[in-house]
């Protein structure tokens, strides 16, 4: 009876071996992408229609963000909490991005690069606005 060879090291979906531990750059990129995507999903006006069945609009909250309250009827409360809480959403986003890095590393890294660039652009926009307000007041 033929023997099956022992399995090799764990591999990415692409067939390349997985590293022994995450690279520091990957952790930073995943963190920034998770932050940006979590805020986009839970606070951005553009994703408000996705949250609408579970939330009620209250008012703007900060630059390009909305404050929405969770609807408590019909068991929508749990989904509404997830849909409006960036900290809650970040657990799911980070897990999804990590799985994406294992299964589709090139595509996921590209998407995370875009999200990181958006986070950087947001930071620059806020810094620029603060600088303009400060200099206009002088």
């Amino acid at each position: 009876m033929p023997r099956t060879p022992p399995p090799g090291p764990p591999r990415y979906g692409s067939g390349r071996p997985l590293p022994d531990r995450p690279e520091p750059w990957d952790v930073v990129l995943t963190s920034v992408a998770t932050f940006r995507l979590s805020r986009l999903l839970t606070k951005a006006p553009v994703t408000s229609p996705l949250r609408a069945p579970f939330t009620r609009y209250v008012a703007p909250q900060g630059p390009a963000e909305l404050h929405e309250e969770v609807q408590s009827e019909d068991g929508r409360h749990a989904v509404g909490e997830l849909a409006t809480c960036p900290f809650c959403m970040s657990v799911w986003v980070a897990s999804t991005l990590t799985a994406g890095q294992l299964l589709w590393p090139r595509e996921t890294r590209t998407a995370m690069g875009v999200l990181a660039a958006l986070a950087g652009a947001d930071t620059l926009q806020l810094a620029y606005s603060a600088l303009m307000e400060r200099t206009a007041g002088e």
Side-chain angles (χ1 to χ4, degrees):
M1 188 168 192
R3 287 184 155 182
T4 338
R11 298 190 175 276
Y12 285 106
S14 64
R16 290 186 340 214
L18 289 172
D20 290 335
R21 65 184 66 87
E23 297 293 328
W25 172 248
D26 287 334
V27 174
V28 170
L29 183 61
T30 303
S31 299
V32 174
T34 296
F35 165 78
R36 187 64 194 101
L37 187 54
S38 295
R39 300 296 300 184
L40 178 68
L41 292 172
T42 60
K43 298 292 182 185
V46 71
T47 54
S48 183
L50 300 174
R51 297 186 304 272
F54 311 101
T55 62
R56 183 178 60 76
Y57 172 78
V58 176
Q61 176 182 323
E65 291 192 351
L66 300 178
H67 174 65
E68 296 167 322
E69 290 183 351
V70 176
Q71 293 184 18
S72 57
E73 68 272 355
D74 297 336
R76 297 178 185 190
H77 187 77
V79 176
E81 285 291 336
L82 177 63
T84 59
C85 174
F87 299 101
C88 307
M89 183 65 74
S90 66
V91 173
W92 296 98
V93 169
S95 298
T96 301
L97 292 175
T98 301
Q101 289 178 73
L102 297 174
L103 298 172
W104 307 284
R106 178 175 289 160
E107 296 85 349
T108 303
R109 182 161 283 152
T110 299
M112 291 191 328
V114 169
L115 291 165
L118 288 172
D122 289 348
T123 302
L124 291 172
Q125 292 289 356
L126 292 171
Y128 179 79
S129 293
L131 180 63
M132 294 305 290
E133 285 179 17
R134 191 167 149 197
T135 57
E138 292 178 4

